[in-house]
Amino acid sequence: MLRFWKNVLLLCLGLVVGLVDSYAQSTYPLVPMPVRLQPAAGTFLLTAQTSLVIPASQPEIRKIATYLQNKLKPATGYTLPLTETSANGSQIQFVLNAKPDASLKKEGYTLDCTPDKITIKANQPAGLFYGVQSLLQLLPPAIENSKPITGIAWTIPCVNITDYPRFEWRGLMLDVSRHFFSKEYVKAYIDQMARYKFNTFHWHLTDDNGWRIEIKSYPKLTEIGAWRVERTGRFGNRKLPQEGEKATYGGFYTQEDIKEIIQYAQERYVTVLPEIDVPGHSMAAIAAYPWLSCVKDPKTKVNPGTRFAEWHSNGTFTMLIDNSLNPADEKVYEFLDKVFGEIATLFPNPYIHMGGDECFHGFWAKNPECLALMKKMNLKNSGELQSYFVKRVEKIIQSKGKKLIGWDEILEGGLASNATVMSWRGTKGGIEAAKQGHPVVMTPSPNTYLDLMQGDPIGELTVYSTVRLKDSYIWNPVPSGIDSTLILGGQGNLWSEHLPTFRYAEYMAYPRAWALAEVYWTPQAQRNWNSFIQRMELHFTRADAAEINYARSVYDPIIKVSKTATGKTLVDLKTEIEGLDIYYSTDNTYPDRFYPLYTKSIEVPEGADMIRMITYRNGKPVGKMLTLTMEEINKRVRK
Ligand code: TNX
C-alpha cells in the first residue's frame, strides 16, 4: 500500500516537473529569448491592488512605471497604484542596482517573479524598461487589447530571468520617402520596436520620391520636394508627371513633429538616426532646387514611382533622369552645411546617416566642372570623385559634432577617416570596413531587407528578390576573421516602394523583424529556430489582440520546379517549419485535407492547367491557397 502511494506521489512530481519543463521551453512567450531563464513554480496574479513600487526621487523610473501602468490599463481596466514607499502585498518593484552588476552592462536587467512579488533590477533605467517589456510579454495575450477584457486571470508564470543584449545597435529602418507615413504611424512603428527591445530607429527621410523633413533654410525642400502627383498601380511602372498636373500626394514632418517623435522614441529607449540620402537618390531635392544637380533641369519633378533607371545584367545601372548632387559645386556644400546643421541641432543621436548608395556617375562624367575638379584634385575616376564628396560631407558632419555613417558604397574610392559603414550588399562591405578598423552596422539585404518577398512570388506582392523568415533568423552578424568589437550590431530595413499603407508595412515587417530582434539580442549559441517558431506563434496571438498586422507566409510551401532527363516536369515542395502537411490538386479545384497529401515530387500530369496547394497542421489550414499555373511552371523550367 505504502509503495502504491509512493508511486502515485512520484508520478505526480514527475508530471509537475514535466509540466514546468515543457512550459519553460514553449510557453514563456519571450521574443527575443533572454540570456538566462529559470522556470519557477507558481504564478503571480496581477490585480487592481498590485502596486508599482519605485525608488524615491527618480523621475526617469517613475516614467517607466507610468509607461507600464498605461500599458496595463486598457485591457485590465486597472490603474495600478504607484508608490515610492515600500508596500505590502502584491507588488511589482523597480530597483536600480546600487552597485552596478557588470554582467548586465548598460541595457540588461533581472526579473524575479514569485507568487506575491515581481522584482525588476537593472544598472540603468534602460534595463528596467526592457524588464517591463519582458513582463508584458509574460502576461496573457489579451493584455494587448485596447478595450477592457473581463473574465481573464492576469497571471504571470514564476520565473527568474537574467538578460542583456548581444549588440548595442539593434535597429529598424523605415523609408518614409517612397511612401509617406504620418507622425502617428511613425510613433506606432517605434512603439512596436520597443516591445522587441530594438533601440535604434533609422529614419530614411529623403529620396527621389519625397523630401520629408522641414529645413528652415531651404523651405522649397518641403514646399515642392514633399509632394508628387498621385498614382496608383505598381511602383516603378507609373506614368510620369504630366504638364500642369498638381502634386497632391505626400507630406512631411515639421521640426516640431520631429522633436515630438524624438521625445516619444526617447521615452521608449529608442534613439532616432536621421538619414539624408546624398549624393544619389536626390530627385526630390533637385525638383525643389535644380541647381543642386549637374543637369539643372528646371522641369525635374518629384518622382511618383516611374521607372527612371535601367538596370543592367552585371548589376550596374543608368539613370534616365539626373538624381545626384553636383560634387564640384561649392554651393552644394553650403547647402549640405545648412541641412546637416539643422539636422544636428534636432537629433540627439551621435550619428548622421548620409546615404551614399546607388549614385549614378554618368552625368558627372559629362560635366565640365566635375572633370575640372577631378583634374585639379588628381582624382582618377568617378569613384574617387564620390569619395571626395563623402570626405567633404564627413567634415561638415563632424563640424556639427556628429559622426558619419553611410551605406557601403562609401567604401568606394577610399573610406572617410572616421566613417561607420552600414553593410547592405551582403556582409562583404562590412568585412572590408572592419578590416580597415572602421565600425560596422550589418544590414545584409539577403537577411534583413524587409521589403523583399517572404514567400513564393505566387503568394506575395512580387518584388525583385526573397528573404524568408528563416533567412532573417539564421545568420550571424559577426563574420569570422574580423575584430568582432567593430560590429556594433544590425538592422532590418523596411524600404517603402511597395508599401502604400501602414497596414501593409506591418505585414512586411513582422514576423521577420521579430526574428531580427532575436538575432541582435540573444547570444548566438542560444538561438534556436524551432523554439523561435513556437514563440513567434504565441506572438501572432498577441499581435491579433493588438491589431498589428503580420505575414503568415512562413506556413506556405517552398516550391521548386525542375525537368527530368526524360522530359517530365517535377514540382518539389517543402516547408520552412516542421510538422506541416501540404495538400494539393492538379485538376483546377481547391484542395483541402481530403486531397492528396504531398509526400514526394509531383509529376505534372499531361494537360494540367495548374497545381494548387495549401498547408495544414493538425487538420487545420494554416497557409494560403497557392496556385501555380502551367505558365509559371514553364517559366521556372526555362530559367
Ligand atoms: C536598395 S539599400 C536601395 C534602396 C531600395 C532598396 C530596395 C540601399 C542603400 N538602396 O534605395 O529601396 O534597394 O530593396
Side-chain angles (χ1 to χ4, degrees):
M1 195 62 185
L2 206 63
R3 179 169 306 151
F4 170 79
W5 285 113
K6 205 172 130 198
N7 283 344
V8 169
L9 191 71
L10 280 177
L11 192 73
C12 290
L13 259 177
L15 269 179
V16 167
V17 169
L19 271 180
V20 167
D21 204 41
S22 65
Y23 204 46
Q25 275 150 30
S26 61
T27 330
Y28 284 86
L30 292 164
V31 177
M33 187 69 184
V35 174
R36 260 195 308 284
L37 181 152
Q38 245 166 17
T43 52
F44 173 92
L45 179 69
L46 187 98
T47 69
Q49 281 75 46
T50 301
S51 42
L52 303 176
V53 184
I54 54 171
S57 324
Q58 294 270 6
E60 202 175 339
I61 299 177
R62 175 174 285 272
K63 266 199 184 152
I64 296 169
T66 309
Y67 168 97
L68 175 62
Q69 196 182 38
N70 290 334
K71 285 276 178 195
L72 296 173
K73 193 170 172 184
T76 62
Y78 311 153
T79 303
L80 297 189
L82 216 162
T83 167
E84 290 185 357
T85 44
S86 61
N88 290 322
S90 169
Q91 57 183 285
I92 300 171
Q93 193 184 7
F94 294 82
V95 178
L96 213 48
N97 293 326
K99 193 171 144 285
D101 173 348
S103 69
L104 295 182
K105 298 186 273 187
K106 281 197 294 225
E107 298 175 280
Y109 66 95
T110 59
L111 187 152
D112 187 24
C113 175
T114 65
D116 45 30
K117 182 173 181 182
I118 294 177
T119 315
I120 305 176
K121 293 185 181 168
N123 296 337
Q124 294 190 20
L128 295 178
F129 183 76
Y130 293 131
V132 162
Q133 294 309 328
S134 294
L135 176 92
L136 287 167
Q137 291 192 1
L138 289 169
L139 280 159
I143 198 70
E144 300 286 353
N145 279 278
S146 56
K147 297 202 185 72
I149 303 292
T150 49
I152 285 213
W154 301 106
T155 55
I156 294 175
C158 291
V159 67
N160 283 295
I161 294 174
T162 302
D163 200 14
Y164 47 84
R166 178 175 177 199
F167 295 107
E168 70 191 64
W169 187 306
R170 305 178 303 279
L172 281 188
M173 188 214 73
L174 182 65
D175 169 4
V176 293
S177 172
R178 273 59 177 271
H179 280 97
F180 178 65
F181 296 106
S182 69
K183 188 167 73 176
E184 284 64 38
Y185 285 140
V186 173
K187 285 185 181 172
Y189 192 69
I190 291 170
D191 194 51
Q192 291 166 23
M193 287 176 63
R195 295 157 175 266
Y196 293 90
K197 305 188 174 81
F198 282 104
N199 67 359
T200 304
F201 171 53
H202 172 176
W203 207 358
H204 186 76
L205 285 161
T206 72
D207 213 299
D208 300 310
N209 318 92
W211 181 286
R212 305 293 179 207
I213 176 168
E214 176 191 23
I215 299 293
K216 305 238 193 233
S217 328
Y218 294 97
K220 284 190 194 166
L221 285 172
T222 44
E223 282 165 17
I224 294 175
W227 304 95
R228 57 176 156 93
V229 298
E230 190 134 19
R231 291 280 181 273
T232 47
R234 196 180 163 77
F235 195 98
N237 289 347
R238 297 176 175 176
K239 206 163 66 175
L240 278 169
Q242 304 294 294
E243 192 70 37
E245 200 184 355
K246 286 242 171 358
T248 51
Y249 175 89
F252 65 92
Y253 313 100
T254 64
Q255 295 203 351
E256 287 312 306
D257 292 336
I258 299 275
K259 288 181 200 157
E260 190 182 318
I261 287 170
I262 291 171
Q263 160 95 31
Y264 184 87
Q266 250 164 9
E267 285 162 8
R268 285 156 184 76
Y269 295 86
V270 170
T271 176
V272 184
L273 170 73
E275 179 185 351
I276 303 295
D277 198 352
V278 289
H281 286 273
S282 293
M283 207 183 299
I286 294 167
Y289 299 104
W291 52 263
L292 287 167
S293 70
C294 286
V295 173
K296 306 188 198 318
D297 180 357
K299 291 213 184 72
T300 304
K301 294 275 183 297
V302 179
N303 189 281
T306 52
R307 194 175 67 92
F308 65 94
E310 263 171 9
W311 289 87
H312 313 305
S313 49
N314 62 358
T316 62
F317 55 92
T318 307
M319 290 292 173
L320 310 171
I321 302 174
D322 186 6
N323 70 339
S324 43
L325 306 185
N326 178 357
D329 187 349
E330 281 308 310
K331 283 221 312 279
V332 168
Y333 298 104
E334 283 163 29
F335 168 83
L336 292 174
D337 187 82
K338 292 240 171 61
V339 171
F340 286 126
E342 291 191 32
I343 298 280
T345 311
L346 280 169
F347 292 85
N349 192 294
Y351 285 93
I352 292 178
H353 200 305
M354 60 140 307
D357 59 313
E358 299 176 323
C359 178
F360 178 61
H361 299 159
F363 297 104
W364 295 359
K366 287 192 214 131
N367 180 277
E369 291 167 54
C370 289
L371 295 172
L373 177 69
M374 286 174 75
K375 197 154 172 217
K376 181 172 151 214
M377 303 304 295
N378 197 22
L379 306 172
K380 287 189 281 302
N381 50 46
S382 62
E384 289 191 10
L385 181 54
Q386 166 139 353
S387 169
Y388 165 88
F389 176 88
V390 175
K391 286 172 184 156
R392 294 277 312 256
V393 170
E394 176 169 58
K395 281 222 180 70
I396 294 173
I397 286 180
Q398 283 176 343
S399 77
K400 313 293 173 199
K402 300 285 180 179
K403 295 190 270 190
L404 177 144
I405 183 165
W407 300 110
D408 58 46
E409 282 92 337
I410 66 170
L411 278 154
E412 290 162 16
L415 200 51
S417 47
N418 291 302
T420 297
V421 169
M422 201 170 258
S423 186
W424 73 278
R425 293 173 301 177
T427 51
K428 61 180 189 310
I431 294 173
E432 193 183 322
K435 286 199 168 143
Q436 294 178 28
H438 290 259
V440 171
V441 175
M442 285 295 188
T443 66
S445 62
N447 310 95
T448 73
Y449 267 35
L450 304 176
D451 60 317
L452 302 185
M453 295 176 291
Q454 34 203 331
D456 193 279
I458 61 173
E460 303 290 331
L461 192 166
T462 45
V463 298
Y464 64 94
S465 190
T466 307
V467 172
R468 284 192 171 267
L469 180 63
K470 202 166 189 174
D471 299 321
S472 292
Y473 192 78
I474 302 224
W475 70 289
N476 185 350
V478 180
S480 53
I482 54 154
D483 174 0
S484 63
T485 62
L486 288 169
I487 308 297
L488 304 179
Q491 290 189 177
N493 293 340
L494 190 50
W495 299 102
S496 64
E497 285 94 327
H498 302 282
L499 309 181
T501 62
F502 187 68
R503 192 79 188 148
Y504 195 67
E506 289 180 336
Y507 173 92
M508 294 305 279
Y510 315 119
R512 289 180 294 184
W514 303 342
L516 292 173
E518 191 148 309
V519 171
Y520 303 138
W521 181 282
T522 307
Q524 180 73 12
Q526 251 141 285
R527 291 207 278 119
N528 178 295
W529 169 247
N530 288 335
S531 147
F532 172 71
I533 290 298
Q534 282 185 6
R535 288 175 286 117
M536 172 201 77
E537 294 194 298
L538 298 169
H539 280 248
F540 281 176
T541 316
R542 308 185 78 80
D544 287 338
E547 299 185 323
I548 292 169
N549 200 13
Y550 56 89
R552 299 167 57 88
S553 312
V554 68
Y555 296 120
D556 295 333
I558 302 175
I559 305 169
K560 206 182 111 226
V561 180
S562 61
K563 199 131 202 156
T564 66
T566 56
K568 284 182 190 149
T569 306
L570 298 181
V571 174
D572 286 290
L573 305 177
K574 58 180 183 186
T575 56
E576 243 180 305
I577 61 182
E578 290 173 6
L580 303 189
D581 300 318
I582 311 172
Y583 295 95
Y584 68 95
S585 74
T586 55
D587 59 2
N588 304 358
T589 61
Y590 293 84
D592 62 13
R593 68 187 173 85
F594 298 92
Y595 273 65
L597 171 71
Y598 177 86
T599 53
K600 61 174 183 358
S601 307
I602 306 168
E603 230 178 76
V604 182
E606 171 92 44
D609 296 323
M610 65 194 69
I611 293 180
R612 289 198 215 265
M613 60 197 91
I614 183 164
T615 56
Y616 273 66
R617 186 169 51 195
N618 304 328
K620 298 253 156 48
V622 286
K624 5 179 162 36
M625 179 73 66
L626 293 184
T627 302
L628 183 67
T629 61
M630 213 51 222
E631 191 189 352
E632 185 66 27
I633 291 176
N634 289 332
K635 205 169 84 195
R636 293 183 191 193
V637 167
R638 277 196 298 273
K639 266 197 194 150

